[in-house]
Amino acid sequence: MSAYVTTLTIDGAIVAIVSIIIFALYLVLNSRKDLISKMANAEGYDSEGQFVRDYVAGKPRELGLSIFVNDDAKSLGMRYIVTSLFFFFIAGAFGLTMRLSLTSPNPSLLTPDEYNVLLTEHATLMIYMWAVGSALGFGYYLLPSHLKVFRDIRGVFSSIGYWLWLLGGALILVSHSSVRWYFYPPLSLQLNQNGGGLYAWLSVLGIEILFVGLIITSITILFIILFDRSPEVKRNQFTLFTWSIIFTIIMILVSSPPIMVGFALLFYDYFNPIFFTAASHSVLLFTILFWFWGHPIVYIAIIPYFGLIYEIIPKFTGKQIFSYKSGVIGLGLLLILSELVWGHHLFNSGLGFAWVLFFSTTSFLVVIPSAITIFNYIASLWSAERIRITTPMLFVINGIIDFIIGGVVGVMQSAFPVNADVHGTYVITGHFHFIFLGITTGISFAAFYMLFPTLSGGRKYDVKLARLHFYFTAAGSMLMSSAWLLGGFLGMPRATAGYFPFFQPYQLASIAGGFIIGIGQIFFLWNMGKSWLKAPSVDNQNCLEQVNVISTEMTGGAQ
Amino acid sequence: MSDKKGRNLEIYFMAAVIVILFSSAVMNYVEMSEHPNAVATDAPTPPAGSYVIHVVATQWEWTFIYPNNTTSAGAFSVPVNREITLIVTSMPSEQGPGVIHDLYIPQMDVQVYAVPGQNNSVTFEPTHTGSYYFECVEYCGEYHYEMRGYMEVVAQ
Ligand code: HEM
Ligand SMILES: [Cu+2]
Ligand SMILES: [Cu+2]
């Protein structure tokens, strides 16, 4: 227990130092803001916010510290993009540390408790801070251009949403909880090292705050789409990315209220355990509330990226997407059907025949829109005369392949007889890492590379390093996830700090894969550092913000 | 690829996907009806003639209570060629409260949650003697990974 107090004190000190630095930066930027306000007055504006937003609206924006004080949509977008990247590297380092400890069948580098803490934080931060954060980032950044918004007036709400989301993530990070990303009680109510950790309650509080931020942000983006877009952009002219963000937001708003109530009741239980206890016979109730959100969240982490793929492909094939209509229908059906499958995470908990049958059947149905979407991508690529194989395009092609593998495993584990054999094993881990690394992570990087000339104010990224980044990420995740699938089919349990020695070959293969991915990310960081130091040499436009521009000349700085 | 050709191809492709999904759904239904797994019951009534073992999960040990009321911890044995019913629940121990666990015996296709305040039952029939590993596959706290062991299937 005293170890906890020490770590928390150290964390507290780090947080305090970081806060002081941020405050100093804030003071500097604030004095600059005074300057802006003088300029605004000179131009006849009442509010400097409005002045800045008008001044920057629709113009390419560069990455800089000012994005943390300006609250126009593009700044918000960049805030989310850089913050989510930051958390990607933190959570990724946690993942690699876990792998390192698993080199031996008995916990080596980490104690079981440390392993469990990293397990919890890796998953929670990757999902809520990386996958969701980066989707919101591209939403904020691209939508104003795609919808030609005529006013940018919701900065205050957007900013509140962002800071709450960040505060929630930070609280989860410092809570050192070991509740896993499920937060299942009674484990999460067990406030010691045996269970959820001394400060598990702090992570419950953190995630609740994060949700409040997420809801505010979602409503704000929806308002931007509905009320701030240029009247000349009709509904049937929305880009597929816009549709994907609309569907994602509907999904967030529909699926999160039950689990927010669930977390509130869980928090209540810390003071007076009456809701999710053995005596109340309602332990499984929390798991149901959780998965009612837990399945949609994995689609929230995928639909925006499906939308981005639709935007990326035409830029490098020089041709419109195969079918706009199937694109919208596919993503829309994905939204509706994936609200109905959450029970497939609880097949072996005792739901009973009727429920299990219902959820496995709906899980088969959800494959239909996924197949429509994948067909649409492949048909678009197939019918193109010529595909420019740029780094973003490589990420897209790899993402499609990874999604097909992950999706096929998904259907297999939706069959109840198969599920009894794979639930709780590394098969599941393999299933979603194929998708999270191939689509969520790969497409984020693809879009980031395409935005690079704009974000960096007219610089080019180094193509060789970008290729290396791609090949290491793709090959590493293929090795890691395949090894997990194979080991999992033999019964290798996931979420364990140690394992039966006969699983070691599969663990070692996946660890090798994990480290190959890690090396790939070093190429990315190196590339960013190197390219940012060079002088601007290209114009700062990017093609991702341009709508319906498909001529091959208009491919911006993406190579 | 002309528009019409592409459209037709899309229809054929989707039809094939739907046929595959439909047959999977039917197979799923048939299999499930034959081998129901993990059924929750308040007062379990195991099938007559079944060899019933009560399984209690605690942090971090599996305890098996045989029909003759003897108990075994961390490992258990069952007779071959006989229908076995496990009735599984979770209880507090001196380490902590009853939390959710999940008993998984890969080679028997058996998987069942141990939920505090609930009894889940599962039935299977081993056909070969030998030793089979089992493990806990629902994260249950610090020493979750140690909740594993062997089930011996012995001649009657
Ligand atoms: C093609 C359609 C899909 C089907 C039929 C499907 C099916 C399933 C099933 C049945 C499970 C439960 C496995 C178990 O624990 O027993 C599962 C788990 C999971 N799926 Fe999928 N899935 C699909 C697509 C996706 C997508 C697009 C994502 C997004 C990344 C995703 C992410 C996950 C995650 C993260 C889990 C594990 C949750 C956990 O236990 O921690 N799946 N999937
Ligand atoms: Cu799911
Ligand atoms: Cu366990």
Side-chain angles (χ1 to χ4, degrees):
Chain A
M1 196 183 279
S2 69
Y4 272 91
V5 178
T6 335
T7 34
L8 214 79
T9 322
I10 295 173
D11 284 346
I14 295 174
V15 170
I17 294 170
V18 171
S19 311
I20 292 170
I21 296 173
I22 291 177
F23 187 66
L25 282 175
Y26 173 78
L27 286 181
V28 173
L29 289 163
N30 209 35
S31 64
R32 249 193 239 175
K33 247 191 143 179
D34 288 342
L35 212 75
I36 293 175
S37 121
K38 280 202 194 98
M39 281 165 70
N41 283 336
E43 297 271 332
Y45 275 89
D46 293 335
S47 110
E48 81 260 20
Q50 191 57 45
F51 166 72
V52 171
R53 286 192 289 264
D54 280 354
Y55 187 69
V56 299
K59 301 199 181 72
R61 291 297 308 287
E62 211 175 304
L63 202 67
L65 278 177
S66 64
I67 58 172
F68 287 96
V69 283
N70 286 345
D71 48 18
D72 60 290
K74 297 254 175 209
S75 291
L76 251 298
M78 285 187 279
R79 254 195 242 177
Y80 274 108
I81 291 171
V82 292
T83 315
S84 62
L85 262 176
F86 175 73
F87 277 96
F88 170 74
F89 282 98
I90 294 192
F94 288 172
L96 285 184
T97 316
M98 280 154 65
R99 290 298 121 208
L100 214 51
S101 179
L102 286 172
T103 41
S104 114
N106 287 314
S108 54
L109 178 69
L110 302 170
T111 65
D113 180 54
E114 286 162 352
Y115 181 91
N116 296 337
V117 171
L118 293 188
L119 171 77
T120 305
E121 310 229 306
H122 169 77
T124 319
L125 298 179
M126 279 295 186
I127 292 173
Y128 292 101
M129 305 309 284
W130 166 237
V132 173
S134 145
L136 293 175
F138 290 114
Y140 265 119
Y141 195 86
L142 296 178
L143 287 183
S145 310
H146 285 194
L147 296 169
K148 305 191 172 65
V149 298
F150 67 90
R151 59 176 182 191
D152 192 342
I153 53 168
R154 301 182 199 281
V156 174
F157 291 106
S158 301
S159 206
I160 291 175
Y162 168 84
W163 290 113
L164 288 177
W165 170 80
L166 183 60
L167 175 65
L171 288 182
I172 293 170
L173 190 60
V174 299
S175 72
H176 287 281
S177 79
S178 46
V179 291
R180 205 178 172 189
W181 82 282
Y182 298 177
F183 290 88
Y184 282 176
L187 188 82
S188 51
L189 295 172
Q190 190 184 351
L191 293 182
N192 56 39
Q193 191 168 323
N194 290 351
L198 198 54
Y199 295 95
W201 58 270
L202 194 60
S203 65
V204 174
L205 194 64
I207 194 116
E208 192 79 319
I209 293 174
L210 186 147
F211 267 104
V212 174
L214 203 56
I215 298 274
I216 294 175
T217 307
S218 303
I219 295 175
T220 311
I221 298 183
L222 198 60
F223 275 22
I224 293 178
I225 297 173
L226 293 179
F227 305 122
D228 300 345
R229 69 167 195 269
S230 149
E232 65 190 75
V233 180
K234 300 280 180 303
R235 224 170 311 141
N236 59 4
Q237 293 165 339
F238 281 6
T239 56
L240 283 162
F241 178 65
T242 309
W243 281 114
S244 74
I245 291 288
I246 294 176
F247 294 143
T248 307
I249 283 172
I250 295 175
M251 218 151 155
I252 294 177
L253 295 178
V254 170
S255 321
S256 55
I259 190 59
M260 289 178 74
V261 173
F263 281 130
L265 297 183
L266 185 61
F267 199 68
Y268 194 97
D269 268 356
Y270 284 121
F271 303 97
N272 185 14
I274 52 170
F275 292 113
F276 303 121
T277 62
S280 66
H281 283 269
S282 55
V283 168
L284 275 189
L285 175 62
F286 184 88
T287 68
I288 285 171
L289 293 176
F290 179 77
W291 286 110
F292 184 82
W293 159 257
H295 185 84
I297 175 66
V298 305
Y299 273 86
I300 289 165
I302 200 95
I303 293 180
Y305 301 97
F306 276 171
L308 277 174
I309 296 182
Y310 278 126
E311 300 308 318
I312 296 174
I313 288 180
K315 305 293 190 289
F316 300 115
T317 57
K319 213 166 159 280
Q320 294 287 10
I321 213 78
F322 168 70
S323 166
Y324 176 82
K325 221 202 244 150
S326 336
V328 181
I329 293 175
L331 295 180
L333 274 180
L334 215 50
L335 150 73
I336 297 167
L337 290 173
S338 58
E339 291 288 350
L340 300 174
V341 302
W342 42 272
H344 67 207
H345 296 271
L346 295 166
F347 277 163
N348 306 294
S349 66
L351 288 180
F353 187 81
W355 281 94
V356 171
L357 184 64
F358 174 78
F359 286 120
S360 56
T361 309
T362 51
S363 307
F364 288 133
L365 288 179
V366 80
V367 175
I368 294 174
S370 313
I372 294 178
T373 308
I374 292 297
F375 181 88
N376 211 351
Y377 296 151
I378 295 180
S380 306
L381 293 174
W382 205 268
S383 56
E385 270 102 57
R386 185 173 95 87
I387 304 172
R388 284 186 58 208
I389 303 292
T390 55
T391 309
M393 202 61 214
L394 284 171
F395 273 114
V396 167
I397 294 169
N398 178 63
I400 294 173
I401 296 170
D402 278 3
F403 181 77
I404 293 174
I405 302 174
V408 168
V409 176
V411 201
M412 286 163 67
Q413 66 202 16
S414 305
F416 174 71
V418 179
N419 191 272
D421 263 332
V422 301
H423 179 68
T425 71
Y426 266 102
V427 170
I428 313 303
T429 323
H431 157 69
F432 66 79
H433 276 81
F434 263 116
I435 302 171
F436 273 138
L437 278 161
I439 301 279
T440 311
T441 305
I443 303 306
S444 283
F445 280 124
F448 187 83
Y449 279 125
M450 290 178 76
L451 291 182
F452 189 80
T454 311
L455 297 182
S456 65
R459 290 175 174 85
K460 274 161 77 170
Y461 59 84
D462 184 305
V463 181
K464 262 216 197 84
L465 288 175
R467 292 286 159 112
L468 284 174
H469 173 216
F470 164 75
Y471 285 119
F472 273 75
T473 309
S477 72
M478 183 62 79
L479 175 60
M480 180 174 82
S481 305
S482 312
W484 279 340
L485 284 184
L486 290 177
F489 278 120
L490 297 178
M492 182 163 78
R494 65 188 274 220
T496 54
Y499 48 89
F500 279 121
F502 49 80
F503 290 128
Q504 199 172 19
Y506 303 97
Q507 288 284 0
L508 290 180
S510 74
I511 291 164
F515 276 87
I516 294 174
I517 300 175
I519 294 169
Q521 307 322 304
I522 295 177
F523 289 120
F524 174 76
L525 290 177
W526 182 6
N527 195 353
M528 290 303 110
K530 186 178 163 199
S531 311
W532 230 285
L533 290 177
K534 281 195 292 204
S537 59
V538 288
D539 92 58
N540 62 355
Q541 298 297 320
N542 68 78
C543 54
L544 210 50
E545 282 179 80
Q546 277 138 15
V547 185
N548 289 331
V549 177
I550 50 161
S551 108
T552 35
E553 286 81 62
M554 289 297 297
T555 44
Q559 296 110 29
Chain B
M1 189 157 48
S2 75
D3 255 13
K4 185 140 175 297
K5 214 167 127 210
R7 179 69 52 213
N8 286 342
L9 194 62
E10 184 169 21
I11 291 170
Y12 293 141
F13 174 75
M14 288 317 300
V17 168
I18 290 169
V19 168
I20 295 172
L21 290 177
F22 185 76
S23 33
S24 314
V26 172
M27 268 155 52
N28 180 45
Y29 176 76
V30 174
E31 263 296 304
M32 253 179 84
S33 329
E34 282 170 13
H35 303 287
N37 206 350
V39 180
T41 39
D42 262 348
T45 44
S50 209
Y51 184 84
V52 179
I53 298 180
H54 285 266
V55 182
V56 178
T58 51
Q59 264 177 343
W60 296 274
E61 189 153 61
W62 294 103
T63 306
F64 302 88
I65 305 168
Y66 293 113
N68 63 6
N69 269 333
T70 53
T71 65
S72 154
F76 68 118
S77 64
V78 294
V80 72
N81 288 328
R82 174 116 190 247
E83 192 185 79
I84 315 288
T85 298
L86 303 178
I87 297 173
V88 184
T89 192
S90 168
M91 292 284 189
S93 71
E94 67 265 34
Q95 301 295 332
V99 300
I100 302 175
H101 307 263
D102 186 355
L103 177 65
Y104 174 41
I105 316 174
Q107 286 129 306
M108 295 290 132
D109 297 352
V110 164
Q111 181 164 154
V112 53
Y113 274 42
V115 182
Q118 181 177 320
N119 289 303
N120 282 344
S121 72
V122 61
T123 299
F124 65 102
E125 187 170 328
T127 53
H128 295 281
T129 56
S131 142
Y132 300 87
Y133 59 93
F134 66 81
E135 50 206 20
C136 176
V137 292
E138 181 55 57
Y139 171 71
C140 57
E142 190 172 9
Y143 289 97
H144 160 56
Y145 78 100
E146 285 185 348
M147 283 186 74
R148 60 187 195 213
Y150 285 90
M151 170 181 85
E152 302 295 335
V153 178
V154 294
Q156 293 197 26

